Amino acid sequence: MGRKTTGDKLEREAVKRYLQQYHAAKQKKRILGERRRTLSAELRGPSTAPAFRATPSAKPVHPDGAGALVFQIADVEERIEAQQAEMARAVQNVMDLIDLLPMGSMERTVVEMRHIDSRKWERIASEVHMSRSRVIDYYNAALDALAANEKSGEIIGVAGAQGKPTAKKNGKA
């Protein structure tokens, strides 16, 4: 049998998924921002069809559906604003969990760099002057410490009620 039991591995994975929520929110915001820029460029770009034509109601109608693009851009902008609020909640959630690690510990430093700063393993290793494998060892130790901490179960459990990953403690969600 390996070092970790199945239950411990599930706990560790729940902690990892919870820590990744801020990074996922940042990625979603980036995608929405790219979509907004694309839609804006399409709206402003020249059309190969006649520019505008009058309808029986005398309201101009863009043949390429520019009006629809305006509504799409507005919808994307609303979603980006909502995603920014979600990012703020996610970073607070992640920081609450990271606060359970000892201040100034290498485990905490690695987790902060990975999940708040969204740094790649190679960059973290370079900045803390360690090998990549050693940095990952500290990261895994942090996950284990968080998974074993009762307070982390409470933090993750509260977020679980809002649709986020949950950790199970003693068979309870």
Side-chain angles (χ1 to χ4, degrees):
M1 184 172 180
R3 211 180 83 192
K4 295 277 164 214
T5 65
T6 303
D8 289 341
K9 187 172 182 176
L10 291 175
E11 288 289 321
R12 191 172 169 184
E13 286 302 312
V15 169
K16 188 174 177 181
R17 279 192 315 274
Y18 188 85
L19 287 169
Q20 291 170 336
Q21 67 181 301
Y22 176 60
H23 181 72
K26 281 175 43 175
Q27 284 182 312
K28 187 173 182 182
K29 180 182 177 269
R30 181 187 50 78
I31 289 167
L32 290 171
E34 288 173 12
R35 189 171 298 147
R36 179 186 62 203
R37 284 187 293 280
T38 299
L39 290 170
S40 292
E42 287 177 9
L43 180 62
R44 282 181 262 140
S47 172
T48 55
F52 287 93
R53 64 176 176 258
T55 63
S57 65
K59 291 182 181 176
V61 175
H62 193 286
D64 294 335
L69 283 175
V70 170
F71 288 114
Q72 288 175 333
I73 291 170
D75 182 50
V76 170
E77 301 237 354
E78 285 178 25
R79 290 176 187 218
I80 290 171
E81 288 176 20
Q83 190 60 33
Q84 287 173 324
E86 179 63 27
M87 283 176 58
R89 281 189 299 276
V91 77
Q92 288 173 335
N93 291 341
V94 170
M95 291 174 110
D96 286 345
L97 191 60
I98 292 172
D99 281 344
L100 299 177
L101 295 170
M103 188 65 76
S105 69
M106 186 54 64
E107 291 85 353
R108 183 179 178 133
T109 300
V110 169
V111 170
E112 287 174 341
M113 292 173 87
R114 182 71 175 168
H115 291 288
I116 294 175
D117 304 330
S118 299
R119 294 196 179 134
K120 296 183 185 256
W121 292 118
E122 292 75 16
R123 183 166 176 204
I124 296 169
S126 172
E127 291 186 22
V128 297
H129 309 289
M130 290 184 189
S131 68
R132 183 178 187 270
S133 64
R134 188 68 183 128
V135 165
I136 291 172
D137 288 343
Y138 276 111
Y139 178 76
N140 287 331
L143 292 181
D144 291 340
L146 291 170
N149 189 318
E150 268 188 50
K151 288 183 182 180
S152 69
E154 294 169 13
I155 291 169
I156 293 172
V158 168
Q162 301 164 353
K164 303 286 186 263
T166 59
K168 293 183 181 178
K169 289 285 179 189
N170 302 325
K172 298 177 188 168

